[in-house]
């Protein structure tokens, strides 16, 4: 560490002397900060060790052992460091908490062709990992974006974990962030319904500047609350202990094992439907709102997104838990956004199952512990093929109810596919998967995804889905699970790291980490073509962490409370103070803050609108009078389209590139800026102008917006 500091000081000294004596004598506090980009020779760092040669009892540099084996002996500086049991370290001093990029020239020479090795870096004691592949050449290897804290930061390259890699140089630079508006706003389904495109448009409009709050609800028979309502066969009524009667659903007549008649459902005066429990012989209901109500009690707000699951509609047992009705209510009555996963079970042992016959829940599974052959879902004539067709039919039946009601869904089938990293030499064979849909590897998984998508779209005519794929970010092999730009609209990550996968060494308690490194890895996997969400999580990251780290996840969505796994109410999972702060921040969008016209789309993305040219003279900041040729037409191509709103955002976010004097060929022109100043015109470009263009495309306003 001392060496690193002296190195940095020496560099500053040299720079000062070379620049001018005046500069040297007026050393300001800022000069104590490390200048970036900073490249150091790894062999000069503290902790670098040499190989001890017992034959002559001397320490020899690693260049004398491995030097000629890597890139024919080429390296920069005096050699390289070999990190094995040792740790090499350096320090940098930064003016404020911010994200930095850590890139290495390194290689993993001590493996075999096709193998890779996990490497560990610690930033002020917080550990992050990345995988490096075997090679005899120096490689560009990166730990990606990490957060450095104001003041001095200790950066350690730790060999004691798994180690064994050679480092020539280390370069640290200030992190650069992508243009979030470049993520696609087009749905991968070109025939998506107007509501679906409208929702996609809205998601895109908040991505990179806000986070949408979300909360998963329980499904199936969860949160069952017993009441005193019972069926009185003498009077043939449903009655509670206070003597109130309930309307009997006469179609739901049944008899129990003892031959007693009962009815499955009855309804109270307030419309509440109750279900008979054969165990308790009373009626009760499932309290599905438990989790959103918990969120409200903890924060004073409801989430903008609610998560549902179609797992109850398995061909083996097919419980109708009424999920479609709850989703329709959430969107059409509460104005919220729906997302849904699909915990679809298969028979645990195929020999136990007869196609089309019921099979007890206990003999089914969604895990990989089944002899159900996933690849056979695509092979006609197999039981799996016929079974999966039933699964899709049941699913489509529910989704069609939603489509008929005008409800779009962020649909996340076959989630968490990769699971843990592969346990074999084949990195994408599905050996780390815990769900049946991924157990035969990335190729089968992608075929299954495409088959489901094609079937829902073409056979069932479903076009109310915003497709979302769950990815992990263990190594670059994780990217090979990506279904492709034309097959999904969003990609997402499920963050569970209160117990494992955390950077601070703890094994319990809330983890407010924003996981910016993972967020940016996913953006890298999809070349910034897709928006990136946190589809499931335990602890919600803190507002401060997300803002400082630019970890702009599209939304978050904790899993529901269930016994000890109390993801919402449990203080072991959730920091309720941080949760409330986030929920009540400007950054976080809650149910009450969603636009009322959220689903009133008229294909705003593909709409090309021509309007009468409005000419008005506006005064720019330079005092020149510039004619407006068409309000909203930021790129001056004669039409108003989404690209105009994007250009306005780009010009504001990155004026050096997209501003009036920007370096990009597509930068905004003086005329374009005048056109774009279409909300409260005359006040220059603001985010409101981009919003006004989007509102115009949704046919909500005329331009200019007064
Ligand atoms: Ca070197």
């Amino acid at each position: 560490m001392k060496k690193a500091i002296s190195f940095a000081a020496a560099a500053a000294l040299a720079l000062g002397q070379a620049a001018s004596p005046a500069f040297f004598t007026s050393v300001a506090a800022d000069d104590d900060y490390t200048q970036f980009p900073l490249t150091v020779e790894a062999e000069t760092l503290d902790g670098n060790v040499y190989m001890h040669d017992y034959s002559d009892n001397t320490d020899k540099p690693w260049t004398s052992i491995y030097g000629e084996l890597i890139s024919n002996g080429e390296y920069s500086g005096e050699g390289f460091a070999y990190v094995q049991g040792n740790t090499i370290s350096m320090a940098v001093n930064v003016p404020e908490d911010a994200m930095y990029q850590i890139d290495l020239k390194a290689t993993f020479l001590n493996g075999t062709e096709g193998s890779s090795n996990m490497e560990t870096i610690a930033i002020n004691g917080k550990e992050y990992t990345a995988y490096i592949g075997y090679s005899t050449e120096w490689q560009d290897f990166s730990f990606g974006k990490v957060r450095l804290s104001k003041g001095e930061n200790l950066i350690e390259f730790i060999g004691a974990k798994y180690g064994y890699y050679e480092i020539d140089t280390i370069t640290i630079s200030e992190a650069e962030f992508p243009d979030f508006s470049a993520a696609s706003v087009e749905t991968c389904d070109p025939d998506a319904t107007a509501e679906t495109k409208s929702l996609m448009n809205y998601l895109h409009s908040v991505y990179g500047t806000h986070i949408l709050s979300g909360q998963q609800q329980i499904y199936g028979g969860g949160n069952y609350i017993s009441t005193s309502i019972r069926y009185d066969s003498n009077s043939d009524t449903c009655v509670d202990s206070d003597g109130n009667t309930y309307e009997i659903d006469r179609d739901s007549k049944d008899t129990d094992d003892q031959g007693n008649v009962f009815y499955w459902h009855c309804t109270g005066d307030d419309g509440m439907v109750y279900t008979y429990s054969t165990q308790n012989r009373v009626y009760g209901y499932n309290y599905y709102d438990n989790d959103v109500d918990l969120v409200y009690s903890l924060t004073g707000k409801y989430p903008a997104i609610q998560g549902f699951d179609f797992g109850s509609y398995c061909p083996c047992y097919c419980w109708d838990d009424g999920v479609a009705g709850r989703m329709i209510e959430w969107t059409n009555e509460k104005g919220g956004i729906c997302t849904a996963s699909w915990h679809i079970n298969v028979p645990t042992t195929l020999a136990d199952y007869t196609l089309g016959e019921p099979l007890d829940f206990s003999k089914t599974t969604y895990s990989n512990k089944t002899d159900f052959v996933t690849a056979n879902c695509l092979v006609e004539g197999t039981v799996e093929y016929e079974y999966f067709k039933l699964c899709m039919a049941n699913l489509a039946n529910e989704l069609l109810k939603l489509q008929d009601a005008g409800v779009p869904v962020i649909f996340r089938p076959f989630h968490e596919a990769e699971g843990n990293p592969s346990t074999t030499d084949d990195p994408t064979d599905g050996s780390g998967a815990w769900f049946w849909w991924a157990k035969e590897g990335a190729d089968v998984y992608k075929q299954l995804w495409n088959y489901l998508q094609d079937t829902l779209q073409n056979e069932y005519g479903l076009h109310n889905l915003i497709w979302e794929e769950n990815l992990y970010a263990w190594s670059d092999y994780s990217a090979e699970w990506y279904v492709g730009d034309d097959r999904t609209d969003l990609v997402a990550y499920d963050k569970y790291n209160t117990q494992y996968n955390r950077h601070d060494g703890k094994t319990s308690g809330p983890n407010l980490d924003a996981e910016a490194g993972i967020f940016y890895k996913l953006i890298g996997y999809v070349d910034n073509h897709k928006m990136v969400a946190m589809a499931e999580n335990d602890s919600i990251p803190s507002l401060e962490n997300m803002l400082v780290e630019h970890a702009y996840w599209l939304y978050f969505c904790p899993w529901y409370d269930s016994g000890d796994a109390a993801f919402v109410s449990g203080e072991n999972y959730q920091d309720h103070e941080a949760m409330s702060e986030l929920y009540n921040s400007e950054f976080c969008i809650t149910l009450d803050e969603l636009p009322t016209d959220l689903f009133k789309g008229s294909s705003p993305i593909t709409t090309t609108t021509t309007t009468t040219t409005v000419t008005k003279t506006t005064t720019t900041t330079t005092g020149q009078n510039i004619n407006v040729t068409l309000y909203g037409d930021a790129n001056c191509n004669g039409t108003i389209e989404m690209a105009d709103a994007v250009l306005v955002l780009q010009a504001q976010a990155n004026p050096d590139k997209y501003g009036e004097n920007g370096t990009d060929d597509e930068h905004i022109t003086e005329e374009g800026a005048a056109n774009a100043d279409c909300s409260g015109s005359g006040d220059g470009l603001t985010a409101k102008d981009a919003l006004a263009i989007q509102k115009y495309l949704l046919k909500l306003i005329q331009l200019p917006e007064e």
Side-chain angles (χ1 to χ4, degrees), residues 40-44 75-81 138 167-169:
V40 299
E41 296 293 341
E43 68 275 10
T44 67
Y75 45 79
S76 71
E78 299 298 313
F80 51 86
W138 291 115
I167 309 175
D168 185 6
T169 62

Side-chain angles (χ1 to χ4, degrees), residues 505-519:
K506 295 180 184 170
T507 54
S508 67
N511 183 350
L512 304 186
D513 204 310
E515 293 294 0
I518 292 171
F519 177 71

Side-chain angles (χ1 to χ4, degrees), residues 430-545:
S431 52
W434 46 73
F435 288 127
W436 68 262
W437 45 83
K439 69 185 172 70
E440 287 156 34
D443 288 342
V444 171
Y445 162 80
K446 286 187 274 192
Q447 287 165 25
L448 192 67
W449 176 283
N450 293 350
Y451 177 47
L452 173 70
Q453 189 168 70
D454 291 343
T455 305
L456 293 182
Q457 286 176 2
N458 304 330
E459 206 166 300
Y460 292 99
L462 282 160
H463 300 287
N464 61 331
L465 307 178
I466 288 176
W467 291 79
E468 179 178 46
E469 189 199 0
N470 245 136
L471 291 174
Y472 280 96
W474 301 113
S475 72
D476 287 348
Y477 291 117
S478 298
E480 294 187 25
W481 291 81
Y482 181 48
V483 291
D485 285 357
D486 58 338
R487 287 291 184 173
T488 194
D489 298 310
L490 311 177
V491 291
Y493 175 78
D494 285 3
K495 180 192 90 77
Y496 287 96
N497 61 3
T498 48
Q499 214 178 336
Y500 307 106
N501 303 319
R502 53 194 297 169
H503 308 296
D504 56 9
K506 295 180 184 170
T507 54
S508 67
N511 183 350
L512 304 186
D513 204 310
E515 293 294 0
I518 292 171
F519 177 71
Y520 284 104
K521 271 185 194 168
L522 260 60
I523 286 179
Y525 293 168
V526 299
D527 278 341
N528 196 29
H529 292 166
K530 301 292 168 182
M531 293 182 269
V532 178
M534 185 180 282
E536 281 183 36
N537 55 283
D538 43 23
S539 311
I540 303 169
S542 73
L543 173 67
E544 198 245 346
N545 284 344

Side-chain angles (χ1 to χ4, degrees), residues 122-171:
I123 311 292
N124 303 321
K126 281 192 163 189
E127 293 183 1
Y128 301 85
T129 57
Y131 286 79
I132 186 169
Y134 164 81
S135 177
T136 57
E137 302 287 321
W138 291 115
Q139 316 169 46
D140 291 322
F141 172 59
S142 182
F143 283 98
K145 292 179 175 56
V146 297
R147 176 175 173 167
L148 299 182
S149 306
K150 179 179 179 170
E152 191 176 290
N153 291 264
L154 175 63
I155 302 172
E156 297 169 289
F157 299 84
I158 300 175
K161 298 282 172 173
Y162 295 97
Y164 304 108
Y165 70 133
E166 295 79 7
I167 309 175
D168 185 6
T169 62
I170 296 160
T171 298

Side-chain angles (χ1 to χ4, degrees), residues 215 290-303 540 558 561 566-571 573-584:
Q215 180 58 51
N290 179 59
D291 298 278
V292 289
D293 285 352
L294 275 173
V295 169
Y296 185 81
S297 71
L298 289 163
T299 68
K301 300 278 188 181
Y302 283 106
I540 303 169
D561 261 25
F567 291 116
V568 187
S569 67
E571 291 184 347
Y573 288 104
Q574 220 59 255
D575 179 328
H576 294 135
E577 205 174 311
M579 178 180 173
S580 183
E581 183 192 18
L582 175 63
Y583 254 89
N584 287 284

